[in-house]
């Protein structure tokens, strides 16, 4: 299957040079098959998703593709080039300080009023009309007479494209992290296909991220229609895949994750070929049970808890070294939690301020059937 490449312009530098994102398109041969949008590297240091897209495209060239697939590596050209010495910053817009992945908009659609106007449509027509409204809301926002921040312009351009698809995958990594998946509660069974051991189950609440910006409007429409005794399943799927740690590329791991994505696309009928999911235990917790642990004091941190492994209650999470307190009992402090958990990620640096988000851990973990 031959791909087509083009570029999306998402802004301009002060010199007038355009900020562009590459788009690779595989045209499916069945217009009834689901369409797909996959992006990577919205956060500058989170580069592994590009390797996954590379591996995925090399595989797709060998498959019988039914649904249209758009892949956007290097999705944030400004963030990717935001360097300080040997490090990539690129998590926050350097002008506004806003997280690049919190700039997407929740379309302001009065759903009861919209349904009242369109209630006579059949389901297929309702889906296409609502989708057109969502895309139009992004394009109208891009034409704001007061202008837009760089981050908002980037997000709206990406979001407008993503709204065209039935399946949206946003590829990220953590600072120091094991693989995990953000999955909406209505679509929890999808987690069985990706090659990812841990899943965070998301409620119907918009927090500004790409996946939420895609599924929340549809989920809200579905909930309202159900309240009116109208059957309507959410017709889109959107996930955030956290593919390990930032500032590193691992092509072997990317190959495994690309196969997991292919297994899901095979299950959904995007590709004709059968790709079976990896046989592995998979676990989950609800987002409300995903806890942040903040450093109770400053110092130099020895991270002790293995990521992606159960940490028993009372076991050492980390040690904090305070050389300014050498000779006292406070020179070395062990940190532990009163609850059993699974540490998923931790802060990238060993030097922390008091209050730094030191670890994120899953609690109330259950196995996915």
């Amino acid at each position: 299957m031959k791909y087509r490449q083009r570029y999306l312009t998402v802004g301009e530098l002060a010199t007038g040079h355009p900020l562009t994102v590459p788009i690779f398109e595989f045209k499916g041969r069945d217009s009834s098959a689901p369409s797909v949008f996959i992006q990577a590297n919205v956060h500058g240091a989170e580069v592994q998703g590009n390797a996954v897209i590379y591996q995925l495209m090399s595989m797709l060239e060998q498959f019988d593709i039914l649904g249209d697939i758009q892949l956007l590596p290097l999705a944030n050209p400004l963030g990717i080039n935001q360097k300080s010495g040997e490090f990539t910053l690129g998590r926050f817009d350097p002008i506004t300080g806003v997280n690049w992945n919190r700039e997407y908009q929740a379309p302001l659609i009065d759903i009861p009023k919209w349904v009242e106007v369109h209630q006579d449509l059949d389901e297929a027509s309702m889906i296409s009309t609502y989708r057109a409204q969502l895309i139009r809301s992004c394009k109208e926002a891009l034409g704001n007479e007061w202008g837009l921040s760089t981050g908002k312009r980037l997000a709206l351009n990406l979001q407008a494209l993503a709204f065209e698809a039935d399946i949206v995958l946003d590829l990220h990594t953590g600072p120091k992290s094991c693989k995990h998946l953000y999955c909406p509660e209505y679509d929890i069974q999808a987690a069985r296909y990706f090659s990812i051991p841990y899943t965070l189950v998301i409620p119907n609440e918009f927090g500004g991220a790409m996946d939420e910006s895609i599924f929340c409007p549809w989920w809200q429409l579905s909930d309202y229609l159900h309240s009116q005794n109208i059957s309507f399943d959410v017709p889109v799927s959107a996930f955030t895949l956290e593919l390990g740690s930032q500032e590193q590329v691992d092509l072997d791991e990317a190959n495994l994750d690309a196969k997991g994505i292919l297994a899901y696309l095979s299950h959904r009928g995007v590709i004709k070929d059968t790709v079976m999911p990896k046989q592995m235990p998979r676990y989950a917790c609800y987002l409300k049970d995903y806890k942040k642990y903040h450093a109770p004091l400053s110092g130099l941190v020895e991270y002790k808890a293995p990521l992606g492994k159960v940490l028993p209650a009372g076991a050492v999470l980390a040690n904090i070294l305070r050389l300014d307190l050498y000779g006292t009992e406070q020179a070395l402090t062990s940190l532990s939690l009163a609850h059993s958990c699974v540490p998923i990620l931790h802060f990238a640096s060993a030097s922390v301020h008091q209050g730094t988000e030191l670890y994120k851990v899953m609690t109330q973990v259950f196995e996915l059937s």
Side-chain angles (χ1 to χ4, degrees):
M1 170 63 70
K2 183 63 178 175
Y3 64 86
R4 182 170 73 96
Q5 184 178 356
R6 63 186 178 94
Y7 289 89
L8 173 69
T9 300
V10 295
E12 293 180 354
L13 294 173
T15 57
H17 290 86
L19 291 167
T20 61
V21 175
I23 302 177
F24 295 87
E25 297 176 318
F26 290 81
K27 184 67 177 175
R29 62 178 179 84
D30 182 352
S31 61
S32 66
S35 57
V36 182
F37 173 95
I38 303 175
Q39 70 176 21
N41 211 175
V42 164
H43 288 141
E46 300 181 10
V47 293
Q48 177 67 4
N50 300 310
V52 172
I53 286 179
Y54 168 78
Q55 297 285 42
L56 183 59
M57 289 196 298
S58 66
M59 295 175 190
L60 285 172
E61 290 198 69
Q62 312 306 316
F63 281 98
D64 186 357
I65 299 175
L66 303 179
D68 295 342
I69 303 173
Q70 288 191 325
L71 304 107
L72 285 75
L74 309 169
N76 182 356
L78 194 60
I80 293 163
N81 287 292
Q82 191 183 344
K83 307 288 286 189
S84 180
E86 62 187 282
F87 301 104
T88 309
L89 303 180
R91 186 173 184 81
F92 303 97
D93 184 327
I95 305 301
T96 65
V98 177
N99 186 327
W100 291 109
N101 194 35
R102 295 297 183 272
E103 290 277 25
Y104 303 98
Q105 74 170 11
L108 300 176
I109 298 176
D110 185 332
I111 290 179
K113 184 175 180 180
W114 190 92
V115 170
E116 182 181 357
V117 172
H118 299 93
Q119 60 185 332
D120 293 332
L121 295 176
D122 60 40
E123 184 171 297
S125 297
M126 182 173 285
I127 289 172
S128 63
T129 303
Y130 194 67
R131 188 191 303 275
Q133 176 67 49
L134 294 173
I135 295 169
R136 187 161 56 250
S137 69
C138 287
K139 293 183 176 179
E140 288 173 352
L142 282 166
N144 189 314
E145 64 175 320
W146 298 102
L148 296 167
S149 69
T150 302
K152 182 64 73 175
R153 182 173 298 280
L154 170 69
L156 288 169
N157 272 291
L158 296 174
Q159 189 178 359
L161 273 182
F163 271 139
E164 297 176 0
D166 303 305
I167 298 167
V168 173
L169 306 181
D170 193 12
L171 310 185
H172 285 259
T173 68
K176 298 295 182 182
S177 175
C178 69
K179 295 177 186 179
H180 55 290
L181 172 75
Y182 284 87
C183 177
E185 187 173 358
Y186 70 84
D187 217 359
I188 190 170
Q189 293 305 315
R192 296 179 301 167
Y193 295 91
F194 299 101
S195 302
I196 295 178
Y198 292 102
T199 294
L200 297 167
V201 184
I202 312 175
N204 192 2
E205 298 173 3
F206 179 68
M210 166 61 95
D211 56 351
E212 298 161 345
S213 77
I214 300 304
F215 66 65
C216 278
W218 290 103
W219 199 351
Q220 290 160 5
L221 176 62
S222 175
D223 282 351
Y224 178 75
L225 289 172
H226 285 152
S227 75
Q228 304 301 302
N229 297 314
I230 301 172
S231 177
F232 183 85
D233 293 332
V234 180
V236 304
S237 297
F239 312 96
T240 294
L241 283 64
E242 299 278 355
L243 302 169
S245 302
Q246 66 187 25
E247 294 279 37
Q248 64 182 36
V249 166
D250 186 323
L251 287 170
D252 290 336
E253 287 299 317
N255 185 67
L256 293 175
D257 290 317
K259 288 178 179 177
I261 292 172
L262 281 173
Y264 177 69
L265 298 185
S266 172
H267 162 68
R268 291 294 307 274
V270 177
I271 58 175
K272 185 177 181 180
D273 312 75
T274 299
V275 180
M276 298 302 295
K278 182 180 179 181
Q279 295 299 306
M280 58 186 291
R282 293 173 173 85
Y283 302 92
C285 81
Y286 290 94
L287 193 61
K288 64 182 177 62
D289 297 317
Y290 188 46
K291 304 295 186 182
K292 300 175 182 178
Y293 179 74
H294 297 269
L297 69 161
S298 62
L300 305 177
V301 181
E302 180 187 22
Y303 297 98
K304 297 292 290 183
L307 299 175
K309 304 292 184 182
V310 175
L311 184 73
V316 176
L317 184 69
N319 291 320
I320 294 191
L321 180 64
R322 286 287 295 266
L323 287 174
D324 60 312
L325 299 175
Y326 181 76
T328 74
E329 294 182 354
Q330 290 78 43
L332 185 64
T333 301
S334 291
L335 305 176
S336 61
L337 299 172
H339 311 280
S340 174
C341 66
V342 177
I344 297 297
L345 61 82
H346 66 69
F347 195 60
S349 174
S351 175
V352 302
H353 300 304
Q354 185 182 43
T356 294
E357 189 179 283
L358 203 61
Y359 271 92
K360 285 186 177 180
V361 304
M362 291 173 63
T363 65
Q364 304 297 320
V365 177
F366 56 91
E367 188 168 2
L368 289 174
S369 58

